[in-house]
Amino acid sequence: MKSRIAEIIREHLTFEIITHESPDEDAVGAARALGHALVSLGKSICFSFPTPIPASLLFTEEPVSGEIDDPEISFLVDVSDMGMLRGIPPRGEIVVIDHHRTKNGFGLASWIDPGKSSASEMVYDLLCEMEIPITPSIASNLFLGVFGDTGGFIHANTTERVFQIAYELVHSGADPHFIAYRIRKAKPFTFYQILCKVMERVIIKDGVYGSYISFTDLDKFHARPEDASGVVEELASLAGSQLVIFLREVKPGTIHCSIRSKQNDAALNTARAFGGGGHGLAAGFTVEGRPRELIHQVVKEGTKWVKTA
Ligand SMILES: [Mn+2]
C-alpha cells in the first residue's frame, strides 16, 4: 500500500492534508512532514485542521506552497475516522495514512498499520520508499510525532525500529533536547491547577481510576482547551492503576473522554462501549452529558475490561 501511495503522489499535483480534531504531536508532525516532502517534490499543498493546532505545538516549521482551491488528493493523516473531522469534508480523493485500528480501509488508497508507533513513523517509511531527502524541517516534525505518540519513548510501541528512526531523524537535523523540552518542560500553570482538581476527585475501583474536569472549572482557571492535555498520562502514572479515565467537559454538556490502559484492548473496549475508538491501550470518545454522572458509568464499564489478579 505504501508503494501505491507513492504512485499516487507521483501522479498528482495538488494535495490537501487533513488530520484529526484536537491535533496532537503526531498529527501535527506527520501532517507537516508530509507537507514539506510534497513541496520538495514541487507539489502544491494546503492543510485542513478540524480544530486549530494548540499554540504549544506551533514550534516546528510549517511548509508553504502556492494557494490551491481544488485539491486532487486529500490525505487523511493519523486519522481514519470521519467522525473526527468535525464534519469538514475532504475536498479531493481520499488517501489514508493511519496507525489507529479501524475496521475497513476506504478512499482511493488506505494504508492502515496499527503495528506502527505513529503516523510519523509511517510518513518516514513512505519518504524512504520514495527516496525523498529528510531535511531538518522534516526530521524535526517527524521526531515530534514519534516522541509524542511513544510518550517520550515510554509506551509499549517504543520498538527497536522507533529508536532506529529516532537516530536517523536526529542525524538528519532534529534536536531531541529542544523538542522534548518544548513538550515536557513547558507546562502552563493551569495544567497543574487542573491536575490538582482532578486528583481531588479520583474514583478508584478495581484498578480503574477515573476523574473529570468540568467546563466551569476550566473557565475558573481561564484554561485554554489544550491546557488539560497530559492529565490522563499523569493518572496513568499512578502505581496500581490498570485503566484510567479522564473526562473533560469541552463545552457545556459536551464531554471528551480519554482512556489509557496497561492491559491490551481494555482502553479500546471501554471506549467502544460509548461509541468511541482508538488503540488497544489508548482510546477515547466524545458524548453529550454531565461529567459528574458519566464518570461513574465509564469507571463501571472499565472494570469489566480490567483483569484483576
Ligand atoms: Mn498518532
Side-chain angles (χ1 to χ4, degrees), residues 31-307:
R32 285 188 162 181
L34 179 62
H36 278 292
L38 292 170
V39 169
S40 79
L41 296 173
K43 314 288 182 181
S44 293
I45 59 155
C46 61
F47 289 98
S48 169
F49 290 100
T51 58
I53 300 177
S56 58
L57 295 180
L58 282 172
F59 60 90
T60 56
E61 202 187 321
E62 184 188 5
V64 278
S65 86
E67 291 285 301
I68 46 169
D69 300 325
D70 243 351
E72 298 161 279
I73 301 295
S74 289
F75 269 109
L76 295 195
V77 178
D78 200 33
V79 62
S80 42
D81 174 358
M82 299 297 275
M84 291 185 77
L85 303 184
R86 289 274 171 113
I88 299 168
R91 289 178 285 160
E93 286 213 76
I94 294 173
V95 174
V96 180
I97 300 179
D98 191 21
H99 67 125
H100 293 87
R101 216 183 298 173
T102 38
K103 283 173 203 128
N104 295 307
F106 58 96
L108 190 60
S110 204
W111 180 28
I112 295 169
D113 187 350
K116 300 286 181 182
S117 65
S118 50
S120 296
E121 178 177 344
M122 299 175 77
V123 170
Y124 176 82
D125 289 344
L126 177 67
L127 303 197
C128 291
E129 160 108 8
M130 297 187 72
E131 295 179 0
I132 296 172
I134 308 286
T135 61
S137 308
I138 293 178
S140 302
N141 276 293
L142 293 179
F143 191 94
L144 171 70
V146 172
F147 186 92
D149 264 19
T150 57
F153 308 110
I154 284 177
H155 298 327
N157 59 359
T158 311
T159 57
E160 192 180 336
R161 173 86 180 128
V162 160
F163 284 111
Q164 197 176 28
I165 293 170
Y167 166 83
E168 294 295 341
L169 295 175
V170 172
H171 184 71
S172 302
D175 181 340
H177 165 74
F178 172 74
I179 293 168
Y181 263 59
R182 285 299 296 254
I183 299 171
R184 290 299 181 80
K185 301 291 182 190
K187 297 231 190 268
F189 187 70
T190 44
F191 170 80
Y192 290 97
Q193 288 180 297
I194 293 166
L195 188 59
C196 287
K197 197 82 201 162
V198 165
M199 288 301 169
E200 273 174 30
R201 289 178 178 143
V202 172
I203 301 167
I204 305 172
K205 196 167 186 290
D206 301 335
V208 177
Y209 289 51
S211 189
Y212 68 92
I213 196 86
S214 69
F215 187 80
T216 316
D217 300 324
L218 294 170
D219 196 43
K220 197 171 75 192
F221 298 144
H222 305 290
R224 296 166 301 170
E226 67 263 31
D227 290 348
S229 80
V231 168
V232 72
E233 308 298 343
E234 294 295 332
L235 286 171
S237 302
L238 290 168
S241 65
Q242 291 302 318
L243 182 131
V244 302
I245 297 153
F246 172 55
L247 305 183
R248 182 166 60 95
E249 191 173 16
V250 289
K251 60 181 190 206
T254 302
I255 300 162
H256 180 73
C257 174
S258 302
I259 308 172
R260 300 287 180 274
S261 68
K262 290 175 184 153
Q263 298 169 11
N264 214 4
D265 288 350
L268 183 61
N269 289 333
T270 306
R272 280 191 175 154
F274 296 88
H279 304 286
L281 300 174
F285 62 87
T286 302
V287 289
E288 302 297 306
R290 292 168 183 278
R292 203 174 355 159
E293 284 132 40
L294 182 67
I295 191 63
H296 293 280
Q297 296 169 32
V298 189
V299 166
K300 194 175 166 202
E301 181 65 31
T303 59
K304 288 187 202 165
W305 301 106
V306 169
K307 294 174 204 79

